[in-house]
Amino acid sequence: MNKKLITLVLLASMGVTTYLAPLTAEAAIDDNIKQTTEKINKLEDEKKSVANELAAITDSMAKNESKAASLMTEMTETQETLKELNSQIDTLNEGIAAREAKLAEQARTVQVNGDTQNYVDFILESESFADVLGRADVVSKLVSANQELVKAQAADKELVAAKQTETEKTLENQTLVAAKLEAAKTDLEQQGLEKEAVVASLAAEKADAETEKEQFLATKTAAEKAAQELQAAKTATVAVATSDETETEAVATNTVATAAEKTATPIATETKTTETKAKAVESKPAATTTPVAGGSWGAVQSAAFGVQGTPYLYGGTTTAGFDCSGFTQYAFNAAGISLPRTASAQYAASTKISQSEAKAGDLVFFNQTGSIDHVGIYLGNGSFIGAQSSSGVAVAQINQYYWAQYVVGYGRVN
């Protein structure tokens, strides 16, 4: 009897110890689940906040696109105005030439009508005082008319000069408008991309946290099941031990083995998961960069000059119309080289070089509005080809008055 009692006490002690182990683990898991739940909620709040910011940026982009469409309409009207101004200039020049011919004709008419060499002789040959007054009046009107013609001619010449200045100013303003449009578009796209990256990062982090929480929940379920099985085994063991000591010892042995196996299962599972993650991290290939293949300039050059004369189009990336960065992206893509979409992004992605180091095929950047807003392909000898708002895809000189004041530097595509 005493031996059986001792056996029962030992079995009870072993059962309690084995039962408490999963309970302690369960408490730790509960704490982990709580922490991951809080983390998930925090990430969700951050994601919503960034999503709201992204929505605001998207709205700003839509407004900018609308404004751009309106400005493009104005730019088209400006082009028509330029044509009209040139036509007016031609008309004014023709008027000036006609007026000069008219003045010469009037001078000849006075001479013929007066049959004299000048106005004085014309008046002195008057036959009466009334005739003098009449001839003087004629001369006065002729002189007055000629003076008015001279004044009109001088005014028209000034108008021609003013129209020419206005034409040049309009052309320059048109280029600046296009630069501002691209700068605004670039800035908003950059903000949008940054916010999208944050949203994606938060979503990924949240997904990892949710996966981690699911693993903790699975571990907790396994631990609870193990504890229940141990409790059932303990009850059964005590009942058998009261009738047969030998059988009790066997049951106790089996109970301990089962408890150890059940307790180890979630731990082994978690260890295996950790090892799998570690292997996945180790097997992930490192990011590499591919240098530009030799001889790529030939392909870039062929593509660039192949679309020379293509009109400027805000946001354009095809042969139907290009903006500056859309053109450079198109030309380099023909050589299998990928460039970012905007001028500022291309500037950031290129290796900065000096003017003396620049070679044909490098990029040249300009700042007309306070940030990088124009890009072209350097051709050497101070020239570049790019999509200009005033001329479409064309070759221009960097040292020209306009571009010389805005050039920022050169970049090489890596």
Side-chain angles (χ1 to χ4, degrees):
M1 183 66 182
N2 290 336
K3 187 175 182 181
K4 288 184 177 182
L5 181 60
I6 293 172
T7 299
L8 289 173
V9 171
L10 289 173
L11 288 173
S13 299
M14 291 175 63
V16 169
T17 302
T18 308
Y19 181 69
L20 287 176
L23 287 179
T24 303
E26 183 178 348
I29 291 173
D30 283 339
D31 185 54
N32 288 334
I33 291 173
K34 180 181 178 182
Q35 291 179 4
T36 53
T37 300
E38 292 175 350
K39 182 179 180 180
I40 290 171
N41 292 336
K42 182 180 179 181
L43 289 172
E44 181 62 25
D45 291 340
E46 291 179 4
K47 181 181 176 182
K48 288 180 180 179
S49 176
V50 176
N52 289 335
E53 293 177 5
L54 180 58
I57 293 173
T58 302
D59 182 60
S60 296
M61 291 178 68
K63 291 179 179 178
N64 188 67
E65 289 292 337
S66 177
K67 182 179 179 181
S70 176
L71 287 173
M72 286 303 295
T73 300
E74 292 179 8
M75 289 173 69
T76 301
E77 293 174 352
T78 299
Q79 292 286 6
E80 294 299 321
T81 301
L82 289 174
K83 293 179 181 178
E84 184 179 347
L85 288 174
N86 288 328
S87 177
Q88 290 179 11
I89 289 172
D90 292 339
T91 301
L92 287 170
N93 285 327
E94 290 174 1
I96 290 171
R99 194 166 291 123
E100 288 176 346
K102 187 174 181 179
L103 286 171
E105 179 63 27
Q106 285 181 345
R108 286 195 297 273
T109 300
V110 170
Q111 291 176 354
V112 172
N113 290 342
D115 196 22
T116 62
Q117 297 300 312
N118 53 53
Y119 292 135
V120 176
D121 291 340
F122 177 65
I123 295 173
L124 291 176
E125 290 180 357
S126 301
E127 296 179 354
S128 65
F129 182 72
D131 190 18
V132 170
L133 294 178
R135 292 193 180 202
D137 184 57
V138 170
V139 170
S140 176
K141 289 180 178 179
L142 287 173
V143 172
S144 177
N146 286 340
Q147 288 178 343
E148 291 299 324
L149 286 174
V150 171
K151 289 180 180 178
Q153 182 162 299
D156 284 350
K157 286 184 177 180
E158 290 180 0
L159 184 59
V160 169
K163 290 290 185 182
Q164 288 177 332
T165 302
E166 182 180 352
T167 301
E168 294 171 356
K169 188 63 177 178
T170 301
L171 185 60
E172 185 173 323
N173 287 339
Q174 183 182 16
T175 302
L176 288 174
V177 166
K180 288 178 181 178
L181 284 173
E182 181 158 348
K185 182 181 178 70
T186 297
D187 183 57
L188 289 171
E189 285 182 348
Q190 183 66 29
Q191 291 182 41
L193 290 173
E194 290 174 355
K195 295 301 179 183
E196 287 176 1
V198 174
V199 170
S201 176
L202 290 172
E205 193 173 351
K206 180 185 176 185
D208 290 341
E210 289 175 340
T211 300
E212 187 178 2
K213 180 179 178 180
E214 290 175 359
Q215 292 174 349
F216 284 137
L217 289 172
T219 302
K220 178 182 178 181
T221 300
E224 290 174 344
K225 183 178 180 181
Q228 292 173 357
E229 291 177 353
L230 287 173
Q231 179 61 29
K234 174 188 173 185
T235 302
T237 300
V238 172
V240 173
T242 56
S243 59
D244 186 24
E245 178 181 354
T246 303
E247 185 176 354
T248 299
E249 291 175 355
V251 171
T253 302
N254 290 334
T255 301
V256 171
T258 301
E261 181 179 354
K262 296 294 183 179
T263 304
T265 298
I267 298 174
T269 301
E270 185 173 353
T271 302
K272 183 177 180 181
T273 301
T274 303
E275 291 176 352
T276 302
K277 288 183 177 180
K279 290 179 179 180
V281 172
E282 292 175 359
S283 63
K284 184 177 180 180
T288 59
T289 57
T290 304
V292 176
S296 59
W297 166 231
V300 172
Q301 182 182 31
S302 178
F305 281 92
V307 294
Q308 190 172 9
T310 301
Y312 178 86
L313 177 64
Y314 173 75
T317 59
T318 69
T319 52
F322 292 106
D323 63 13
C324 65
S325 55
F327 165 70
T328 53
Q329 187 182 59
Y330 169 86
F332 275 83
N333 186 59
I337 302 170
S338 178
L339 289 184
R341 174 61 187 89
T342 62
S344 61
Q346 291 177 13
Y347 181 76
S350 63
T351 300
K352 310 306 174 292
I353 56 177
S354 65
Q355 182 178 1
S356 61
E357 296 173 314
K359 298 179 180 180
D362 289 329
L363 296 175
V364 56
F365 298 94
F366 302 87
N367 174 358
Q368 305 165 91
T369 60
S371 60
I372 303 298
D373 50 34
H374 191 67
V375 60
I377 301 173
Y378 186 59
L379 301 176
N381 297 321
S383 65
F384 73 101
I385 184 170
Q388 332 295 357
S389 61
S390 58
S391 59
V393 177
V395 175
Q397 296 297 317
I398 298 174
N399 60 357
Q400 285 179 345
Y401 166 73
Y402 183 81
W403 292 117
Q405 60 184 330
Y406 295 120
V407 64
V408 172
Y410 301 80
R412 182 161 295 163
V413 179
N414 297 319

